Amino acid sequence: MNTLSFSALLLLLLTTSAHAQQPFTVGPVSAAPGTTASGDLTVPPRAGDQGTTIPISVINGARPGPVLALTAGVHGQEYTSILALQRLLKTADAKAITGTLILVHVANMPSFLARTIYYSPADGKNLNRVFPGKADGTLSERIAHAITQEVIARATHVIDLHCGDGNESLRPYSYWITTGKPDVAEGGRKLALAFGMDHIIIDRERPLDAAESVYLSNTAITRGKPALTTESGGMALTDEESIARIERGIAGVMKHLGMRADGPAPVAQPIMIERSEVLRSGATGIFYPAVERGHTVAQGTLVGRVTDFHGRVVEEIRAPFAGEILYVIGTPPISKGEPVAYVGMTAAAGGASR
Ligand SMILES: [Zn+2]
């Protein structure tokens, strides 16, 4: 064999091995090509808490391709996305997939098992406000650190699957985060279209600093990876429509990324929401909503009232601009500073003139 043909053979071997699917390992979970493996990431105890586990699955396709991480249960009472991933684990055929799926089934196990909204029972923190986390922090910070290091670091694309929390009556929508590099933002826009939900909130206010990324999806974006946050379902319900919408969204994204041959088409005519605002209560008491999710409101429309515990109205909360109610709190407890509703300015409600 002359030198030239030996070099050619070597190049061929290197090229072939570079394009062959390899086993894919996340923490203690390793899946051979064309197989699915499941296990737990462990967050060890530290002073003051017992630690926790993060159940994950790796669905490793037969051919190399994108690595799509799907996270559910960042908020423990957001059940629709958790159940959608349980279904995906059963229905996905690793042999038919190009690339790799990483499923985080319940990101926030302490909150899930204690059935808490917003905040972890372990440290009172909102897991989706402490990213990228800390190796020696509180339990929520250590969960965030594990997800950042073991999951986001291994992924090429990330979708953080949420719904309205246990107290939030929500109409479905995605957040398209425009911060980050232009190609990453464009990648995120395409993920939002591929996921298929027709309301897309344009979010221009996420931090740019990877060390202070705050949110899970923004942790991916500040590391150069397109990501998306989705919302489908709410009020601690497990309705079929909301779960199926998430399954459809994942299938659409997998088709868009070339991970599967077929799947639903991207949304053709999305409503892009340029302006949105979370309305907050100025008082602690009992909340009475005056609108429902999906309602169209005019500027000044009454969204809800807060009374004190003796029945006196202490606050009326009104829409700051014409738009659509994306979510409204559907249970009575309210504390000063907490959200009561989220309003988006949609073209249908007058946003087209802006
Ligand atoms: Zn959430």
Side-chain angles (χ1 to χ4, degrees), residues 75 78 162-163 165 231:
H75 296 123
E78 297 182 0
H162 289 248
C163 62
D165 216 323
E231 305 271 354

mmCIF file of all heavy atoms in Angstrom, residues 75 78 162-163 165 231, ligand 1:
data_model
loop_
_atom_site.group_PDB
_atom_site.id
_atom_site.type_symbol
_atom_site.label_atom_id
_atom_site.label_comp_id
_atom_site.label_asym_id
_atom_site.label_seq_id
_atom_site.Cartn_x
_atom_site.Cartn_y
_atom_site.Cartn_z
ATOM 1 N N HIS A 75 -41.418 23.378 37.420
ATOM 2 C CA HIS A 75 -42.395 23.724 38.460
ATOM 3 C C HIS A 75 -43.228 22.472 38.734
ATOM 4 O O HIS A 75 -43.783 21.869 37.815
ATOM 5 C CB HIS A 75 -43.259 24.899 38.006
ATOM 6 C CG HIS A 75 -42.456 26.153 37.817
ATOM 7 N ND1 HIS A 75 -42.407 26.857 36.639
ATOM 8 C CD2 HIS A 75 -41.626 26.791 38.676
ATOM 9 C CE1 HIS A 75 -41.588 27.897 36.781
ATOM 10 N NE2 HIS A 75 -41.100 27.878 38.002
ATOM 11 N N GLU A 78 -46.808 21.441 37.385
ATOM 12 C CA GLU A 78 -47.078 21.583 35.954
ATOM 13 C C GLU A 78 -47.040 20.191 35.329
ATOM 14 O O GLU A 78 -46.008 19.721 34.841
ATOM 15 C CB GLU A 78 -46.070 22.558 35.345
ATOM 16 C CG GLU A 78 -46.237 23.945 35.977
ATOM 17 C CD GLU A 78 -45.311 25.007 35.421
ATOM 18 O OE1 GLU A 78 -44.506 24.696 34.520
ATOM 19 O OE2 GLU A 78 -45.373 26.138 35.896
ATOM 20 N N HIS A 162 -43.309 23.948 29.984
ATOM 21 C CA HIS A 162 -44.089 24.401 31.143
ATOM 22 C C HIS A 162 -45.564 24.372 30.788
ATOM 23 O O HIS A 162 -45.960 24.135 29.653
ATOM 24 C CB HIS A 162 -43.707 25.847 31.517
ATOM 25 C CG HIS A 162 -42.361 25.986 32.128
ATOM 26 N ND1 HIS A 162 -42.161 26.339 33.445
ATOM 27 C CD2 HIS A 162 -41.127 25.815 31.601
ATOM 28 C CE1 HIS A 162 -40.867 26.385 33.702
ATOM 29 N NE2 HIS A 162 -40.213 26.066 32.601
ATOM 30 N N CYS A 163 -46.385 24.683 31.810
ATOM 31 C CA CYS A 163 -47.781 25.039 31.583
ATOM 32 C C CYS A 163 -48.110 26.056 32.662
ATOM 33 O O CYS A 163 -47.229 26.450 33.433
ATOM 34 C CB CYS A 163 -48.686 23.808 31.650
ATOM 35 S SG CYS A 163 -48.730 22.943 33.214
ATOM 36 N N ASP A 165 -49.002 27.203 36.158
ATOM 37 C CA ASP A 165 -48.759 26.497 37.418
ATOM 38 C C ASP A 165 -50.108 26.094 38.032
ATOM 39 O O ASP A 165 -51.171 26.352 37.441
ATOM 40 C CB ASP A 165 -47.928 27.393 38.352
ATOM 41 C CG ASP A 165 -46.941 26.572 39.186
ATOM 42 O OD1 ASP A 165 -47.289 25.449 39.594
ATOM 43 O OD2 ASP A 165 -45.827 27.061 39.437
ATOM 44 N N GLU A 231 -45.695 26.729 26.935
ATOM 45 C CA GLU A 231 -46.731 26.697 27.974
ATOM 46 C C GLU A 231 -47.984 26.067 27.380
ATOM 47 O O GLU A 231 -48.555 26.610 26.430
ATOM 48 C CB GLU A 231 -47.072 28.119 28.438
ATOM 49 C CG GLU A 231 -45.876 28.954 28.920
ATOM 50 C CD GLU A 231 -45.595 28.791 30.407
ATOM 51 O OE1 GLU A 231 -46.388 28.120 31.102
ATOM 52 O OE2 GLU A 231 -44.568 29.338 30.866
HETATM 53 ZN ZN ZN B 1 -43.556 26.822 34.944
#
